[in-house]
Amino acid sequence: MQTFVLVVIELVITCTTAADNTGGHFHSAGARVFNVFWYFTIQSNVIVGVTCLLLAIQPRRTSTVFAVFRLMGVVAISVTFVVFHVA
């Protein structure tokens, strides 16, 4: 549950910062906020946050779809970690 809360806080801060940023390629605040969700790091955080929330709600999930999303989130966050530390 804490992971989901942190992801929501991160999204609020990131979207607020993007909306307030008047420089750059996008002219409207909505377009800048929408663009935030195209970043791989943000997508990874959302997947991990949602799967952690679903695990907090029901810890004994056995769905194949859930397992795929959980694995996808773990791999995506791991790739983000490696790229951040290598680059």
Side-chain angles (χ1 to χ4, degrees):
M1 187 68 161
Q2 294 94 352
T3 303
F4 175 74
V5 171
L6 289 174
V7 168
V8 169
I9 291 170
E10 176 263 335
L11 284 175
V12 168
I13 291 170
T14 302
C15 289
T16 303
T17 303
D20 291 342
N21 184 9
T22 57
H25 195 68
F26 298 100
H27 299 293
S28 70
R32 289 188 296 271
V33 169
F34 182 72
N35 184 56
V36 163
F37 292 95
W38 285 96
Y39 287 98
F40 182 76
T41 303
I42 300 297
Q43 293 172 358
S44 302
N45 286 337
V46 168
I47 292 170
V48 169
V50 169
T51 55
C52 285
L53 174 66
L54 292 173
L55 273 178
I57 292 170
Q58 182 185 2
R60 297 180 189 260
R61 291 193 177 269
T62 58
S63 167
T64 304
V65 173
F66 175 77
V68 167
F69 275 97
R70 182 76 173 156
L71 179 63
M72 190 168 56
V74 169
V75 170
I77 282 295
S78 300
V79 167
T80 302
F81 172 80
V82 170
V83 168
F84 176 79
H85 285 288
V86 169

